[in-house]
Coordinates of all heavy atoms in Angstrom, one line a residue:
M1 N 18.2 2.3 -37.7 CA 18.7 1.6 -36.5 C 17.8 1.9 -35.3 O 17.5 3.1 -35.1 CB 20.1 2.1 -36.3 CG 20.8 1.4 -35.2 SD 22.6 1.9 -35.2 CE 22.7 2.5 -33.5
K2 N 17.4 0.9 -34.6 CA 16.6 1.1 -33.4 C 17.4 1.6 -32.3 O 18.6 1.3 -32.1 CB 16.0 -0.3 -33.0 CG 14.7 -0.7 -33.6 CD 14.2 -1.9 -32.9 CE 12.8 -2.1 -33.2 NZ 12.3 -3.4 -32.6
S3 N 16.8 2.6 -31.5 CA 17.5 3.0 -30.3 C 17.4 2.0 -29.2 O 16.3 1.3 -29.1 CB 16.9 4.4 -29.9 OG 15.6 4.3 -29.5
P4 N 18.4 1.8 -28.4 CA 18.3 0.8 -27.3 C 17.2 1.2 -26.3 O 17.0 2.4 -26.0 CB 19.7 0.9 -26.7 CG 20.3 2.1 -27.1 CD 19.6 2.6 -28.4
K5 N 16.6 0.2 -25.8 CA 15.5 0.4 -24.7 C 16.2 0.9 -23.4 O 17.2 0.4 -23.1 CB 14.7 -0.9 -24.5 CG 13.7 -1.2 -25.5 CD 12.9 -2.3 -25.0 CE 11.8 -2.6 -26.0 NZ 10.9 -3.7 -25.5
S6 N 15.5 1.8 -22.8 CA 16.0 2.2 -21.4 C 15.7 1.1 -20.4 O 14.9 0.2 -20.7 CB 15.3 3.5 -21.0 OG 14.0 3.2 -20.7
P7 N 16.4 1.1 -19.3 CA 16.0 0.1 -18.2 C 14.6 0.1 -17.9 O 14.0 -0.9 -17.6 CB 16.9 0.5 -17.1 CG 18.1 1.2 -17.7 CD 17.5 2.0 -18.9
V8 N 13.9 1.3 -17.8 CA 12.5 1.4 -17.5 C 11.7 0.7 -18.6 O 10.7 0.0 -18.3 CB 12.1 2.8 -17.2 CG1 10.6 2.9 -17.1 CG2 12.8 3.4 -16.0
D9 N 12.0 1.0 -19.8 CA 11.2 0.4 -20.9 C 11.3 -1.2 -20.9 O 10.4 -1.9 -21.1 CB 11.8 0.9 -22.3 CG 11.4 2.3 -22.5 OD1 10.4 2.8 -22.0 OD2 12.1 3.0 -23.3
K10 N 12.5 -1.7 -20.6 CA 12.7 -3.1 -20.5 C 11.9 -3.7 -19.3 O 11.2 -4.7 -19.5 CB 14.2 -3.4 -20.2 CG 15.1 -3.2 -21.5 CD 16.5 -3.5 -21.1 CE 17.4 -3.2 -22.3 NZ 18.8 -3.4 -22.0
L11 N 11.9 -3.0 -18.2 CA 11.1 -3.4 -17.0 C 9.6 -3.4 -17.3 O 8.9 -4.4 -17.0 CB 11.4 -2.5 -15.8 CG 10.9 -2.9 -14.5 CD1 11.4 -4.2 -14.0 CD2 11.1 -1.8 -13.5
L12 N 9.1 -2.4 -18.0 CA 7.7 -2.3 -18.3 C 7.3 -3.3 -19.3 O 6.2 -3.8 -19.3 CB 7.4 -0.9 -18.8 CG 7.5 0.2 -17.7 CD1 7.3 1.6 -18.4 CD2 6.5 0.0 -16.6
S13 N 8.2 -3.6 -20.3 CA 7.8 -4.6 -21.3 C 7.8 -6.0 -20.7 O 7.0 -6.9 -21.2 CB 8.8 -4.5 -22.5 OG 10.1 -5.0 -22.1
T14 N 8.5 -6.3 -19.7 CA 8.5 -7.6 -19.1 C 7.5 -7.7 -17.9 O 7.2 -8.9 -17.5 CB 9.9 -8.1 -18.6 OG1 10.4 -7.1 -17.7 CG2 10.9 -8.2 -19.8
N15 N 7.0 -6.6 -17.5 CA 6.1 -6.6 -16.3 C 4.9 -5.6 -16.7 O 4.9 -4.5 -16.2 CB 6.7 -6.1 -15.1 CG 7.8 -7.0 -14.6 OD1 7.6 -8.1 -14.1 ND2 9.1 -6.6 -14.9
P16 N 4.0 -6.1 -17.6 CA 2.9 -5.1 -18.1 C 2.0 -4.6 -17.0 O 1.3 -3.6 -17.2 CB 2.2 -6.0 -19.1 CG 2.5 -7.4 -18.8 CD 3.9 -7.4 -18.1
E17 N 2.0 -5.2 -15.8 CA 1.1 -4.7 -14.7 C 1.7 -3.5 -14.0 O 1.0 -2.9 -13.2 CB 0.7 -5.8 -13.8 CG 1.9 -6.5 -13.0 CD 2.7 -7.5 -13.8 OE1 2.3 -7.8 -15.0 OE2 3.6 -8.1 -13.3
L18 N 2.9 -3.2 -14.2 CA 3.6 -2.0 -13.6 C 3.0 -0.7 -14.2 O 2.6 -0.7 -15.3 CB 5.1 -2.1 -13.9 CG 5.9 -2.9 -13.0 CD1 7.4 -2.9 -13.5 CD2 5.9 -2.5 -11.5
T19 N 3.0 0.3 -13.3 CA 2.7 1.6 -13.8 C 3.9 2.5 -13.6 O 4.6 2.4 -12.6 CB 1.5 2.2 -12.9 OG1 0.4 1.3 -13.1 CG2 1.1 3.6 -13.3
H20 N 4.2 3.4 -14.5 CA 5.3 4.3 -14.4 C 4.9 5.7 -14.7 O 4.2 6.0 -15.7 CB 6.4 3.8 -15.4 CG 7.6 4.7 -15.5 ND1 8.5 4.7 -14.4 CD2 8.0 5.6 -16.3 CE1 9.5 5.5 -14.7 NE2 9.2 6.1 -15.9
S21 N 5.4 6.6 -13.9 CA 5.2 8.0 -14.1 C 6.5 8.8 -13.9 O 7.3 8.4 -13.0 CB 4.2 8.6 -13.0 OG 2.9 7.9 -13.2
E22 N 6.7 9.8 -14.7 CA 7.9 10.6 -14.6 C 7.7 12.0 -14.3 O 6.7 12.6 -14.6 CB 8.7 10.5 -16.0 CG 9.1 9.1 -16.3 CD 10.1 9.1 -17.5 OE1 10.5 10.2 -18.0 OE2 10.4 8.0 -17.9
Q23 N 8.6 12.5 -13.5 CA 8.6 13.9 -13.1 C 7.3 14.4 -12.4 O 6.7 15.4 -12.8 CB 9.0 14.8 -14.3 CG 10.4 14.6 -14.9 CD 11.4 14.9 -13.8 OE1 11.5 16.0 -13.3 NE2 12.3 13.9 -13.5
V24 N 6.8 13.6 -11.5 CA 5.6 13.9 -10.7 C 6.1 14.7 -9.5 O 7.1 14.4 -8.9 CB 4.8 12.7 -10.4 CG1 4.2 12.1 -11.6 CG2 5.6 11.7 -9.6
K25 N 5.3 15.7 -9.1 CA 5.7 16.5 -7.9 C 5.2 15.9 -6.6 O 4.0 15.6 -6.5 CB 5.1 17.9 -8.1 CG 5.6 18.9 -7.0 CD 5.2 20.3 -7.3 CE 5.7 21.2 -6.2 NZ 5.2 22.6 -6.4
V26 N 6.1 15.8 -5.6 CA 5.7 15.3 -4.3 C 5.2 16.5 -3.5 O 5.9 17.5 -3.3 CB 7.0 14.7 -3.6 CG1 6.6 14.2 -2.2 CG2 7.5 13.5 -4.4
T27 N 4.0 16.4 -3.0 CA 3.4 17.4 -2.2 C 3.6 17.2 -0.7 O 3.5 18.1 0.1 CB 1.9 17.7 -2.5 OG1 1.2 16.4 -2.3 CG2 1.8 18.1 -3.9
S28 N 3.8 15.9 -0.3 CA 4.0 15.6 1.1 C 4.8 14.3 1.2 O 4.7 13.4 0.4 CB 2.6 15.4 1.8 OG 2.7 14.9 3.1
H29 N 5.7 14.3 2.3 CA 6.5 13.1 2.5 C 6.7 12.9 4.0 O 7.1 13.8 4.7 CB 7.9 13.3 1.8 CG 8.9 12.2 2.0 ND1 10.2 12.4 2.2 CD2 8.7 10.8 2.2 CE1 10.8 11.2 2.4 NE2 9.9 10.3 2.4
T30 N 6.3 11.7 4.4 CA 6.5 11.3 5.8 C 7.3 10.0 5.9 O 7.3 9.2 4.9 CB 5.2 11.2 6.6 OG1 4.5 10.1 6.0 CG2 4.4 12.4 6.6
Q31 N 8.0 9.8 7.0 CA 8.8 8.6 7.2 C 8.6 8.1 8.6 O 8.5 8.9 9.5 CB 10.3 8.9 7.0 CG 10.6 9.6 5.7 CD 12.1 9.9 5.6 OE1 12.9 9.0 5.6 NE2 12.4 11.2 5.6
R32 N 8.5 6.8 8.8 CA 8.4 6.2 10.1 C 9.0 4.9 10.2 O 9.1 4.2 9.1 CB 6.9 6.2 10.6 CG 6.1 5.2 9.8 CD 4.6 5.3 10.2 NE 3.8 4.3 9.5 CZ 3.5 4.4 8.2 NH1 3.9 5.4 7.5 NH2 2.7 3.4 7.7
E33 N 9.5 4.5 11.3 CA 10.2 3.2 11.5 C 9.1 2.1 11.8 O 8.2 2.3 12.6 CB 11.1 3.2 12.7 CG 12.4 4.0 12.4 CD 13.4 3.9 13.5 OE1 13.6 2.8 14.0 OE2 14.0 4.9 13.9
V34 N 9.3 1.0 11.1 CA 8.4 -0.2 11.3 C 9.4 -1.4 11.3 O 9.9 -1.7 10.2 CB 7.3 -0.3 10.3 CG1 6.5 -1.6 10.5 CG2 6.4 0.9 10.3
D35 N 9.6 -2.0 12.4 CA 10.5 -3.1 12.5 C 11.9 -2.6 12.1 O 12.4 -1.6 12.6 CB 10.1 -4.3 11.8 CG 8.7 -4.8 12.3 OD1 8.5 -4.8 13.5 OD2 7.9 -5.3 11.5
D36 N 12.5 -3.2 11.1 CA 13.9 -2.8 10.6 C 13.8 -2.0 9.4 O 14.8 -1.7 8.7 CB 14.7 -4.1 10.3 CG 15.0 -4.9 11.5 OD1 15.0 -4.3 12.7 OD2 15.3 -6.1 11.4
W37 N 12.6 -1.5 9.1 CA 12.4 -0.7 7.8 C 12.0 0.7 8.2 O 11.4 1.0 9.2 CB 11.3 -1.3 7.0 CG 11.7 -2.7 6.5 CD1 11.5 -3.9 7.0 CD2 12.4 -3.0 5.2 NE1 12.0 -4.9 6.3 CE2 12.5 -4.4 5.2 CE3 12.9 -2.2 4.2 CZ2 13.2 -5.0 4.1 CZ3 13.5 -2.8 3.2 CH2 13.7 -4.2 3.1
I38 N 12.2 1.6 7.2 CA 11.7 3.0 7.2 C 10.5 3.0 6.2 O 10.8 2.7 5.0 CB 12.7 4.0 6.8 CG1 13.9 4.0 7.8 CG2 12.1 5.4 6.9 CD1 13.6 4.3 9.2
V39 N 9.3 3.2 6.6 CA 8.2 3.3 5.7 C 8.0 4.7 5.3 O 7.8 5.6 6.1 CB 6.9 2.7 6.3 CG1 5.7 2.9 5.4 CG2 7.1 1.2 6.7
H40 N 8.0 5.0 4.0 CA 7.9 6.3 3.4 C 6.5 6.4 2.8 O 6.0 5.5 2.1 CB 8.9 6.5 2.3 CG 10.3 6.4 2.7 ND1 11.1 7.5 3.1 CD2 11.1 5.4 2.9 CE1 12.3 7.1 3.5 NE2 12.3 5.8 3.4
T41 N 5.8 7.5 3.0 CA 4.5 7.8 2.5 C 4.6 9.1 1.8 O 5.0 10.1 2.4 CB 3.4 7.8 3.5 OG1 3.4 6.6 4.3 CG2 2.0 8.0 2.9
I42 N 4.3 9.1 0.5 CA 4.3 10.4 -0.3 C 3.0 10.6 -0.9 O 2.3 9.7 -1.3 CB 5.5 10.4 -1.4 CG1 5.3 9.3 -2.4 CG2 6.8 10.3 -0.7 CD1 6.3 9.3 -3.5
M43 N 2.7 11.9 -1.0 CA 1.5 12.3 -1.8 C 2.0 13.0 -3.0 O 3.0 13.8 -3.0 CB 0.6 13.3 -1.0 CG -0.1 12.7 0.2 SD -1.3 11.4 -0.2 CE -2.5 12.4 -1.1
I44 N 1.4 12.7 -4.1 CA 1.8 13.2 -5.4 C 0.7 14.2 -5.9 O -0.5 14.0 -5.8 CB 1.9 12.1 -6.5 CG1 2.9 11.1 -6.0 CG2 2.2 12.6 -7.9 CD1 4.3 11.6 -5.9
E45 N 1.2 15.3 -6.5 CA 0.3 16.3 -7.0 C -0.8 15.7 -8.0 O -0.4 14.9 -8.8 CB 1.1 17.4 -7.7 CG 0.3 18.6 -8.1 CD 1.3 19.7 -8.6 OE1 1.8 19.5 -9.7 OE2 1.4 20.7 -7.9
N46 N -2.0 16.1 -7.8 CA -3.1 15.6 -8.6 C -3.5 14.1 -8.4 O -4.2 13.6 -9.3 CB -2.9 15.9 -10.1 CG -2.7 17.4 -10.4 OD1 -3.4 18.2 -9.8 ND2 -1.8 17.7 -11.2
H47 N -3.1 13.5 -7.3 CA -3.5 12.2 -7.0 C -4.1 12.2 -5.6 O -3.7 13.0 -4.7 CB -2.3 11.2 -6.9 CG -1.8 10.8 -8.2 ND1 -1.0 11.7 -9.1 CD2 -1.9 9.7 -8.9 CE1 -0.7 11.1 -10.2 NE2 -1.2 9.8 -10.1
L48 N -5.2 11.5 -5.4 CA -5.9 11.5 -4.1 C -5.5 10.4 -3.1 O -5.9 10.4 -2.0 CB -7.4 11.3 -4.4 CG -8.0 12.4 -5.3 CD1 -9.5 12.1 -5.6 CD2 -7.9 13.8 -4.6
V49 N -4.6 9.5 -3.5 CA -4.2 8.5 -2.6 C -2.7 8.5 -2.4 O -1.9 9.0 -3.3 CB -4.6 7.1 -3.2 CG1 -6.1 6.9 -3.2 CG2 -3.9 6.8 -4.5
P50 N -2.2 8.1 -1.3 CA -0.7 8.1 -1.0 C 0.0 7.0 -1.7 O -0.6 5.9 -2.0 CB -0.7 8.0 0.5 CG -1.9 7.2 0.9 CD -3.0 7.6 -0.1
F51 N 1.2 7.1 -1.9 CA 2.1 6.1 -2.4 C 3.0 5.7 -1.2 O 3.6 6.6 -0.6 CB 3.0 6.6 -3.5 CG 2.2 6.8 -4.8 CD1 1.5 8.0 -5.0 CD2 2.0 5.8 -5.7 CE1 0.8 8.2 -6.1 CE2 1.3 6.0 -6.9 CZ 0.7 7.2 -7.1
K52 N 3.1 4.4 -0.9 CA 3.9 3.9 0.2 C 5.0 3.0 -0.3 O 4.7 2.2 -1.2 CB 3.0 3.2 1.3 CG 2.1 4.1 2.0 CD 1.1 3.5 2.9 CE 1.4 2.1 3.5 NZ 0.4 1.6 4.4
F53 N 6.2 3.1 0.3 CA 7.2 2.2 0.0 C 8.1 2.1 1.2 O 8.1 3.0 2.1 CB 8.0 2.7 -1.2 CG 8.7 4.0 -1.1 CD1 10.0 4.1 -0.8 CD2 8.0 5.2 -1.4 CE1 10.7 5.3 -0.7 CE2 8.6 6.4 -1.3 CZ 10.0 6.5 -0.9
K54 N 8.9 1.1 1.3 CA 9.8 0.9 2.4 C 11.3 0.8 2.0 O 11.5 0.2 0.9 CB 9.4 -0.2 3.4 CG 9.4 -1.6 2.7 CD 8.8 -2.6 3.7 CE 8.8 -3.9 3.1 NZ 8.3 -4.9 4.1
R55 N 12.2 1.3 2.8 CA 13.6 1.3 2.5 C 14.3 1.0 3.8 O 13.7 1.1 4.9 CB 14.1 2.6 2.0 CG 13.4 3.2 0.8 CD 13.7 2.4 -0.4 NE 15.0 2.8 -0.9 CZ 15.6 2.4 -2.0 NH1 14.9 1.6 -2.8 NH2 16.8 2.7 -2.4
K56 N 15.5 0.6 3.8 CA 16.3 0.3 5.0 C 16.7 1.6 5.7 O 17.0 1.7 6.8 CB 17.5 -0.5 4.7 CG 17.2 -2.0 4.5 CD 16.7 -2.6 5.8 CE 16.5 -4.1 5.6 NZ 16.1 -4.7 6.9
G57 N 16.8 2.7 4.9 CA 17.3 4.0 5.5 C 16.3 5.1 5.2 O 15.4 5.0 4.4
A58 N 16.5 6.2 5.9 CA 15.7 7.4 5.7 C 16.2 8.3 4.5 O 17.4 8.1 4.1 CB 15.7 8.3 7.0
Y59 N 15.4 9.1 4.0 CA 15.7 10.0 2.9 C 15.6 11.4 3.5 O 15.0 11.7 4.5 CB 14.7 10.0 1.8 CG 14.9 8.9 0.8 CD1 13.8 8.2 0.4 CD2 16.1 8.5 0.3 CE1 13.8 7.1 -0.5 CE2 16.2 7.5 -0.7 CZ 15.1 6.8 -1.0 OH 15.2 5.8 -1.9
R60 N 16.2 12.4 2.9 CA 15.9 13.8 3.2 C 14.5 14.0 2.7 O 14.0 13.1 1.9 CB 16.9 14.7 2.5 CG 16.8 14.7 1.0 CD 17.6 15.7 0.3 NE 17.7 15.6 -1.1 CZ 16.7 16.0 -1.9 NH1 15.6 16.5 -1.5 NH2 16.8 15.8 -3.2
S61 N 13.8 15.0 3.1 CA 12.4 15.2 2.7 C 12.3 15.3 1.2 O 13.1 16.0 0.5 CB 11.9 16.5 3.3 OG 10.6 16.7 2.9
L62 N 11.4 14.6 0.6 CA 11.1 14.7 -0.8 C 10.0 15.7 -1.2 O 9.8 15.9 -2.4 CB 10.7 13.3 -1.3 CG 11.7 12.2 -1.2 CD1 11.1 10.9 -1.6 CD2 12.9 12.5 -2.1
T63 N 9.5 16.4 -0.2 CA 8.4 17.4 -0.4 C 9.0 18.4 -1.4 O 10.0 19.0 -1.1 CB 7.9 18.0 0.9 OG1 7.4 17.0 1.7 CG2 6.8 19.0 0.6
G64 N 8.2 18.7 -2.4 CA 8.6 19.7 -3.4 C 9.4 19.2 -4.5 O 9.6 19.9 -5.5
S65 N 9.9 18.0 -4.4 CA 10.8 17.4 -5.4 C 10.0 16.8 -6.6 O 8.8 16.4 -6.4 CB 11.6 16.2 -4.8 OG 12.5 16.7 -3.8
Q66 N 10.6 16.6 -7.7 CA 10.0 15.9 -8.8 C 10.7 14.6 -8.9 O 11.9 14.5 -8.8 CB 10.1 16.7 -10.1 CG 9.3 17.9 -10.2 CD 9.2 18.5 -11.6 OE1 10.2 18.4 -12.3 NE2 8.1 19.2 -11.9
V67 N 9.9 13.5 -8.9 CA 10.4 12.1 -8.9 C 9.8 11.3 -10.0 O 8.7 11.6 -10.5 CB 10.1 11.5 -7.5 CG1 10.8 12.2 -6.4 CG2 8.7 11.3 -7.2
N68 N 10.4 10.2 -10.3 CA 9.9 9.2 -11.2 C 9.5 8.0 -10.3 O 10.2 7.7 -9.4 CB 10.9 8.7 -12.2 CG 11.5 9.8 -13.1 OD1 10.8 10.8 -13.2 ND2 12.6 9.5 -13.7
I69 N 8.3 7.5 -10.6 CA 7.8 6.3 -9.7 C 7.4 5.2 -10.6 O 6.8 5.4 -11.7 CB 6.7 6.7 -8.8 CG1 5.5 7.4 -9.5 CG2 7.2 7.7 -7.7 CD1 4.3 7.6 -8.6
T70 N 7.7 4.0 -10.3 CA 7.3 2.8 -10.9 C 6.8 1.8 -9.9 O 7.5 1.6 -8.9 CB 8.5 2.1 -11.6 OG1 9.1 3.0 -12.5 CG2 8.1 0.9 -12.4
Y71 N 5.5 1.4 -10.0 CA 4.9 0.6 -9.0 C 3.9 -0.3 -9.5 O 3.4 -0.2 -10.6 CB 4.3 1.6 -8.0 CG 3.2 2.4 -8.6 CD1 1.8 2.1 -8.5 CD2 3.5 3.6 -9.2 CE1 0.8 2.8 -9.1 CE2 2.5 4.4 -9.8 CZ 1.2 4.0 -9.7 OH 0.2 4.8 -10.3
Y72 N 3.5 -1.3 -8.7 CA 2.4 -2.2 -8.9 C 1.2 -1.6 -8.2 O 1.3 -1.4 -7.0 CB 2.7 -3.6 -8.4 CG 3.7 -4.4 -9.1 CD1 5.0 -4.5 -8.6 CD2 3.4 -5.1 -10.3 CE1 6.0 -5.2 -9.3 CE2 4.4 -5.8 -11.0 CZ 5.7 -5.8 -10.5 OH 6.6 -6.6 -11.1
P73 N 0.1 -1.3 -8.8 CA -1.1 -0.8 -8.1 C -1.6 -1.9 -7.1 O -1.6 -3.1 -7.4 CB -2.1 -0.6 -9.2 CG -1.3 -0.5 -10.5 CD -0.1 -1.4 -10.3
V74 N -1.9 -1.4 -5.9 CA -2.3 -2.3 -4.8 C -3.5 -1.6 -4.1 O -3.5 -0.4 -4.0 CB -1.2 -2.5 -3.8 CG1 -1.7 -3.3 -2.6 CG2 0.0 -3.2 -4.4
T75 N -4.5 -2.4 -3.7 CA -5.6 -1.9 -2.9 C -5.4 -2.3 -1.5 O -5.2 -3.5 -1.2 CB -6.9 -2.5 -3.4 OG1 -7.1 -2.1 -4.8 CG2 -8.1 -1.9 -2.6
E76 N -5.5 -1.3 -0.6 CA -5.3 -1.6 0.9 C -6.6 -1.3 1.6 O -7.2 -0.2 1.3 CB -4.2 -0.7 1.4 CG -3.9 -0.8 2.8 CD -2.7 0.0 3.3 OE1 -2.2 0.8 2.5 OE2 -2.3 -0.1 4.5
K77 N -7.0 -2.1 2.5 CA -8.3 -1.9 3.2 C -7.9 -1.3 4.6 O -7.1 -1.9 5.3 CB -9.0 -3.2 3.4 CG -10.4 -3.0 4.0 CD -11.2 -4.2 4.0 CE -12.6 -3.9 4.5 NZ -13.5 -5.1 4.6
I78 N -8.5 -0.1 4.8 CA -8.3 0.5 6.1 C -9.7 0.8 6.7 O -10.5 1.6 6.1 CB -7.5 1.9 6.0 CG1 -6.1 1.6 5.4 CG2 -7.4 2.6 7.3 CD1 -5.3 2.8 5.1
G79 N -10.0 0.1 7.8 CA -11.4 0.2 8.3 C -12.3 -0.4 7.2 O -12.1 -1.5 6.8
D80 N -13.4 0.3 6.9 CA -14.3 -0.1 5.8 C -14.0 0.5 4.5 O -14.7 0.3 3.5 CB -15.7 0.3 6.2 CG -16.3 -0.5 7.4 OD1 -15.8 -1.7 7.6 OD2 -17.1 -0.1 8.1
L81 N -12.9 1.2 4.3 CA -12.5 1.8 3.1 C -11.5 1.0 2.3 O -10.5 0.5 3.0 CB -11.9 3.2 3.3 CG -12.9 4.2 4.0 CD1 -12.1 5.5 4.3 CD2 -14.0 4.5 3.1
K82 N -11.6 0.9 1.0 CA -10.6 0.3 0.2 C -9.9 1.4 -0.6 O -10.5 2.2 -1.3 CB -11.2 -0.7 -0.8 CG -11.7 -2.0 -0.2 CD -12.2 -2.9 -1.2 CE -12.6 -4.2 -0.6 NZ -13.1 -5.2 -1.6
L83 N -8.6 1.5 -0.4 CA -7.8 2.6 -1.0 C -6.8 1.9 -2.0 O -6.1 1.0 -1.7 CB -7.0 3.4 0.0 CG -7.8 4.0 1.1 CD1 -6.9 4.6 2.2 CD2 -8.7 5.1 0.5
K84 N -6.9 2.5 -3.2 CA -5.9 2.0 -4.2 C -4.6 2.8 -4.0 O -4.6 4.0 -3.7 CB -6.4 2.3 -5.6 CG -7.5 1.3 -6.0 CD -7.8 1.5 -7.5 CE -9.0 0.6 -7.9 NZ -9.4 0.7 -9.2
R85 N -3.5 2.0 -4.1 CA -2.2 2.7 -3.9 C -1.2 2.1 -4.9 O -1.4 1.2 -5.5 CB -1.7 2.7 -2.5 CG -1.5 1.3 -1.9 CD -1.0 1.3 -0.5 NE -0.8 0.0 0.0 CZ 0.3 -0.7 0.0 NH1 1.4 -0.1 -0.4 NH2 0.4 -1.9 0.5

């Protein structure tokens, strides 16, 4: 008997361009208001680029927490630098 797929497995199977990581450690977390959103920027242990996401509300600090992240890789141009995020 096959075990049922988790929601993440279903999401990844229907969206192959997604990247998923589990239990990664957050080394830095900042939050700032932009229009009606709170933009969160986190740094993950052993990664050189930040992960950014926006929510309607603020979180308590995620620094030191282990989190699961699922995202579409995006390249952002800042000045003359292209950063993958």
Side-chain angles (χ1 to χ4, degrees):
M1 184 169 126
K2 274 187 164 179
S3 62
K5 283 187 173 184
S6 73
V8 172
D9 290 335
K10 289 178 186 177
L11 187 64
L12 293 173
S13 68
T14 58
N15 298 283
E17 61 279 0
L18 280 174
T19 299
H20 178 73
S21 299
E22 293 193 8
Q23 297 298 302
V24 293
K25 185 175 181 182
V26 177
T27 58
S28 173
H29 176 215
T30 61
Q31 307 176 66
R32 68 186 182 286
E33 286 186 45
V34 176
D35 299 323
D36 292 338
W37 294 92
I38 304 293
V39 176
H40 300 263
T41 304
I42 60 174
M43 291 297 296
I44 301 295
E45 189 172 69
N46 299 320
H47 285 76
L48 298 176
V49 296
F51 291 85
K52 291 176 21 179
F53 62 97
K54 60 184 178 179
R55 306 287 284 184
K56 284 293 185 177
Y59 282 134
R60 64 174 174 78
S61 177
L62 296 174
T63 302
S65 300
Q66 290 189 332
V67 298
N68 299 342
I69 56 174
T70 305
Y71 61 94
Y72 291 100
V74 174
T75 301
E76 181 177 2
K77 188 172 181 181
I78 299 175
D80 288 334
L81 300 173
K82 287 184 180 179
L83 302 173
K84 288 186 180 180
R85 56 178 181 103

